[in-house]
Amino acid sequence: MGILEGKRILVTGVLTDSSIAFHVARLCQEQGATVVLTGYGRLSLVERIAKRLPQPPPVLELDVTDDEHLDSLAGRVAEHVDGLDGVVHSIGFTPQEALGGNFLNTRWEDVATAMHTSTFSLKALTTALLPLMKDGGSVVALDFDNSVSYPIYDWMGVAKAGLASTARYLARYLGEQNIRVNLVSAGPLSTMAARSIPGFEELASSWPQRAPLGWDVSNPEPAARAVVALLSDWFPATTGETVHVDGGFHSTGA
């Protein structure tokens, strides 16, 4: 019997089988959960990748910046499950103009896109699904350490800092509904999203040497396991927290 036996989990952000979200969905199923996926843009790709899971789940279209998609989301999810016990936010996007060392020259329009998609979407997704979480539950979002600045990460770093703050405020306001909101801050992983960041290899290159436990940029499973643990009942009194899964990199100095 798995730690998610009988639970119903919605997972966003599955695009390839190298994504953290894919491995979260796989582990959720292996631990006894029923999974629903959402995808944006290339639904046929998400549906094809979903077939590689132990049990191919339904895939729903979701643009988290589209109010119509959000307004209909709970109803569409309810066609497949009678409620939700967990939600995984694995969504982020920043225009290229807001990355790669262009911080001082980035226009507000590009920053606004980054903040809407990568930050505000956590609040938007969570509140859209509240009608299905009447018995409480767990919301887990994927983060990247934002306590310091990194080369080339630029406005995505700012957006991730906003994501962490959003999670804390959601934890404050949803605690009375027995809904926990936490973050998993993973080290750099060679996912499709990461590879779209100019200079990603430069950012990732120092991780294996500086992390006390080392770090494998090709292995998303440690981060996925942390997400699954937070979705389970093993953290009943933990909310507003950031769990670092980065080999300990965040805790070390130069």
Side-chain angles (χ1 to χ4, degrees):
M1 183 172 176
I3 61 173
L4 296 181
E5 194 68 35
K7 293 194 180 296
R8 303 147 299 176
I9 309 293
L10 181 135
V11 180
T12 66
V14 172
L15 189 57
T16 71
D17 56 9
S18 68
S19 65
I20 299 174
F22 175 87
H23 290 274
V24 169
R26 174 180 60 80
L27 290 169
C28 282
Q29 290 186 341
E30 291 176 358
Q31 291 298 317
T34 298
V35 171
V36 177
L37 302 183
T38 70
Y40 169 65
R42 290 175 281 183
L43 275 191
S44 60
L45 174 59
V46 180
E47 290 166 347
R48 187 162 67 249
I49 296 299
K51 292 177 181 177
R52 300 180 186 177
L53 291 168
Q55 302 164 22
V59 177
L60 308 180
E61 184 177 18
L62 176 63
D63 175 354
V64 287
T65 66
D66 186 317
D67 287 342
E68 291 185 4
H69 281 209
L70 291 164
D71 290 344
S72 66
L73 182 60
R76 291 186 286 132
V77 173
E79 294 176 5
H80 302 280
V81 290
D82 57 0
L84 285 175
D85 304 289
V87 176
V88 179
H89 178 282
S90 180
I91 298 170
F93 172 75
T94 302
Q96 292 291 303
E97 292 79 7
L99 296 165
N102 196 42
F103 186 88
L104 297 178
N105 300 314
T106 305
R107 303 175 307 152
W108 163 244
E109 291 79 5
D110 294 321
V111 174
T113 297
M115 297 296 287
H116 193 178
T117 309
S118 308
T119 306
F120 184 78
S121 62
L122 176 58
K123 176 268 178 188
L125 177 68
T126 302
T127 54
L129 294 170
L130 285 180
L132 298 177
M133 302 182 76
K134 295 179 181 177
D135 297 323
S138 175
V139 177
V140 184
L142 289 165
D143 193 17
F144 186 76
D145 179 51
N146 47 73
S147 61
V148 296
S149 65
Y150 291 97
I152 65 92
Y153 205 49
D154 292 354
W155 286 100
M156 181 57 100
V158 177
K160 288 295 189 182
L163 180 74
S165 186
T166 301
R168 288 191 291 269
Y169 276 95
L170 284 170
R172 168 182 288 269
Y173 289 112
L174 296 179
E176 62 184 16
Q177 299 180 45
N178 196 32
I179 295 174
R180 296 170 284 124
V181 184
N182 294 290
L183 300 169
V184 168
S185 179
L189 291 163
S190 188
T191 62
M192 180 177 289
R195 290 193 296 271
S196 70
I197 300 173
F200 167 76
E201 296 301 330
E202 175 191 350
L203 177 63
S205 63
S206 62
W207 230 268
Q209 290 77 34
R210 211 178 95 184
L213 294 175
W215 184 250
D216 183 354
V217 298
S218 67
N219 184 13
E221 181 145 342
R225 287 190 180 197
V227 173
V228 171
L230 287 168
L231 289 169
S232 78
D233 295 331
W234 284 93
F235 285 86
T238 299
T239 195
E241 185 61 86
T242 299
V243 176
H244 288 83
V245 184
D246 62 356
F249 182 99
H250 74 283
S251 68
T252 64

